[in-house]
Amino acid sequence: MSGDKELETGMIAVIGTLNFIINIAWFLIIASAIFSWLYAFNVINVNNQAINMIGRSLYQLTEPLYRPIRRFLPDMGGVDLSPLVVLVILYFIQLFLNTTIAPALIR
């Protein structure tokens, strides 16, 4: 009986950690989209070294998520829908994790 309780506690920790990672990815994708808009409309000074470093970091963190999606999306003439597609996929994964996998693992 004690082993079942430990396994359940471990599963709660794993599911909570996965939810946390998905939430961080959401934040990074939204921050990257906002930064790209600010950059495109010259609201921020791109010559500032700190701003440039933030932009490069956001690009390097999010580009691996966008690249496979961009292969399948049609060219929209300057509008990049890959962040939206990635957010929908992350939402589906989180919903599936919380409504299907979590109840099956935690009895």
Side-chain angles (χ1 to χ4, degrees), residues 64-93:
L65 297 172
Y66 299 158
R67 193 173 304 121
I69 305 296
R70 286 186 181 134
R71 283 188 226 143
F72 297 105
L73 286 178
D75 186 21
M76 300 291 287
V79 177
D80 186 14
L81 296 178
S82 56
L84 181 64
V85 172
V86 171
L87 288 176
V88 169
I89 292 170
L90 287 174
Y91 177 76
F92 172 78
I93 291 170

Side-chain angles (χ1 to χ4, degrees), residues 41-66:
F41 294 116
N42 284 331
V43 175
I44 54 176
N45 182 7
V46 294
N47 296 325
N48 186 335
Q49 187 176 3
I51 298 295
N52 199 7
M53 184 180 69
I54 291 169
R56 276 195 320 246
S57 298
L58 286 171
Y59 177 81
Q60 290 174 349
L61 287 170
T62 56
E63 186 59 25
L65 297 172
Y66 299 158

